[in-house]
Amino acid sequence: MTRSEEYFIDKGNGYSQCDRDILAGKLRIHEVPFFYRTKSLYVKAYDAIQEFSVCN
């Protein structure tokens, strides 16, 4: 497994580094390759957007 693949793979705690970056607003769903876009990632991206819109 390459380093870039590890970024998208769940580490066993329910969140990959990609998930954490989506939730923190550092990454957008369109920047994630289609191969790694899961339903849970879309949900996390949606939650991050909702949180952002409530804060602003």
Side-chain angles (χ1 to χ4, degrees):
M1 184 179 325
T2 66
R3 185 179 179 123
S4 62
E5 289 174 328
E6 290 177 7
Y7 178 78
F8 298 104
I9 304 297
D10 181 11
K11 300 293 186 200
N13 61 358
Y15 294 96
S16 66
Q17 184 62 45
C18 177
D19 294 338
R20 286 191 217 84
D21 288 348
I22 287 278
L23 290 170
K26 297 178 185 176
L27 186 68
R28 295 182 183 195
I29 193 71
H30 69 85
E31 297 171 322
V32 178
F34 283 108
F35 183 76
Y36 296 107
R37 293 184 193 180
T38 61
K39 182 179 178 182
S40 66
L41 190 62
Y42 278 105
V43 170
K44 289 170 185 155
Y46 179 79
D47 290 344
I49 291 169
Q50 295 302 314
E51 183 177 324
F52 179 75
S53 65
V54 169
C55 293
N56 290 329

